[in-house]
Amino acid sequence: MAEIILEAKSLRKEFGGLVAVDDVSLQVKSGSLHSIIGPNGAGKTTFFNLLSGNLRPTRGRLIYEGRDITNMPLYRRAHFGIGRSFQITNVFSNMSVFENVRLAAQAIDSRSMVMFTHYLRFTSYQIKALEAIETVGLSGMENVPAGALPHGDKRKLELAIILATDPKLLLLDEPTAGMATEQVPEIIATIDNVRKVGDKTVMLVEHNMSVVMSISDTITVMNHGALLAEGTPEEIAGNTAVQSAYLGELYGDFEDMSSSIGR
Ligand SMILES: Nc1ncnc2c1ncn2[C@@H]1O[C@H](COP(=O)(O)OP(=O)(O)O)[C@@H](O)[C@H]1O
Ligand SMILES: [Mg+2]
């Protein structure tokens, strides 16, 4: 049986009277690509915020690599290997691609205060940055100011920034948001490459159903904060509750979605 890297146990988040995440339990297998889908407002981003430590749950537990991290602050989770991206582009526009990524590699290192006295450590950040840039396919763009990148390349840069922090588990919230349709396959191939090259676990929130169906090992469907269904792409595509409850109306032609299965 595959190792479980992350387990949520009845994780719940209330905002005042609103239940944004309604006692969600799930297990994420190490090395898998696990997608969370659901309509707008289903609680996907809130759930990611609970996993990353941006938000504390109202109740429930979170276990990462066998350790209870429910009350662990964000920066410590990051040190333990939980890296997340945001729906909002999060780069320094005036800095080069390389500087953005190197800074991330350096920032995660708690010993970075002594970095400037230690040439070898400095070099290791540079190497890590260059590796991350290569993995996402931005080699050759190192000196380009981040602000001058086309939108699709900015998303790749965001991926490189997370990668440079050497995460074991990547939380990617709508990495294709705002991208032109023709750019989507490239970013998806990049995510697939990140996972395979680096042997990472990836959790993905994504609204593009053909992407989700083609790339995921496991899909969890959320609706009104609660877990509606979970399974392989085949199982989710064939799940009548999912179909009738929401996929059909939200994503249009269900046949179209099913036809994109088949990796
Ligand atoms: N900080 C917050 N304060 C109050 N309500 C919030 C907050 N963040 C999200 N919500 C609400 O929680 C619900 C889930 O939102 P969200 O997690 O962003 O959904 P999704 O990412 O699936 O679209 C929505 O009703 C949203 O308005
Ligand atoms: Mg969201």
Side-chain angles (χ1 to χ4, degrees):
M1 211 188 109
E3 205 181 312
I4 303 301
I5 187 166
L6 184 82
E7 180 171 15
K9 295 183 173 181
S10 302
L11 215 53
R12 183 178 189 86
K13 183 65 185 178
E14 298 172 5
F15 295 112
L18 179 91
V19 182
V21 174
D22 190 356
D23 295 346
V24 170
S25 296
L26 59 75
Q27 294 187 328
V28 179
K29 291 193 186 85
S30 202
S32 69
L33 197 146
H34 192 131
S35 294
I36 311 282
I37 64 171
N40 269 333
K44 306 178 297 292
T45 295
T46 304
F47 186 64
F48 264 25
N49 283 332
L50 295 175
L51 303 185
S52 63
N54 289 81
L55 289 174
R56 285 304 142 76
T58 306
R59 59 171 191 257
R61 317 265 358 133
L62 195 57
I63 312 294
Y64 172 72
E65 292 192 315
R67 175 190 289 121
D68 191 321
I69 62 162
T70 313
N71 295 309
M72 186 184 278
L74 181 144
Y75 72 92
R76 283 197 66 212
R77 296 185 198 200
H79 279 286
F80 280 115
I82 301 180
R84 85 160 289 181
S85 75
F86 291 89
Q87 259 168 302
I88 303 144
T89 305
N90 194 19
V91 300
F92 297 104
S93 330
N94 296 327
M95 280 168 36
S96 71
V97 164
F98 176 73
E99 283 298 305
N100 266 287
V101 181
R102 189 185 56 79
L103 201 67
Q106 184 181 323
I108 197 73
D109 191 338
S110 52
R111 302 159 303 181
S112 65
M113 293 308 282
V114 294
M115 180 210 62
F116 288 107
T117 63
H118 201 311
Y119 176 74
L120 281 180
R121 191 168 289 156
F122 185 65
T123 306
S124 84
Y125 299 140
Q126 292 182 314
I127 291 168
K128 205 164 266 179
L130 291 173
E131 279 173 0
I133 288 167
E134 185 182 356
T135 305
V136 304
L138 283 179
S139 294
M141 313 279 268
E142 288 85 354
N143 297 321
V144 176
L149 291 174
H151 185 76
D153 285 348
K154 265 189 201 140
R155 304 316 300 246
K156 290 184 190 170
L157 173 57
E158 285 181 308
L159 268 179
I161 286 170
I162 310 170
L163 272 185
T165 67
D166 225 1
K168 296 175 195 165
L169 170 66
L170 285 85
L171 306 174
L172 305 177
D173 196 349
E174 306 212 10
T176 70
M179 293 183 76
T181 316
E182 61 269 22
Q183 292 178 309
V184 170
E186 208 184 324
I187 197 83
I188 292 310
T190 304
I191 291 168
D192 221 26
N193 194 41
V194 161
R195 176 163 72 122
K196 284 169 184 155
V197 170
D199 197 21
K200 311 280 188 196
T201 307
V202 177
M203 291 187 75
L204 180 69
V205 168
E206 178 55 56
H207 62 273
N208 184 321
M209 286 313 295
S210 63
V211 164
V212 167
M213 288 293 153
S214 63
I215 199 176
S216 307
D217 298 308
T218 305
I219 299 172
T220 294
V221 186
M222 286 180 74
N223 198 18
H224 302 300
L227 194 152
L228 179 68
E230 187 172 283
T232 62
E234 290 79 1
E235 286 163 352
I236 294 302
N239 183 310
T240 46
V242 174
Q243 288 171 20
S244 58
Y246 112 112
L247 281 175
E249 64 185 71
L250 240 125
Y251 295 108
D253 192 352
F254 199 75
E255 289 303 309
D256 199 44
M257 189 183 90
S258 304
S259 69
S260 60
I261 299 174
R263 289 158 283 172

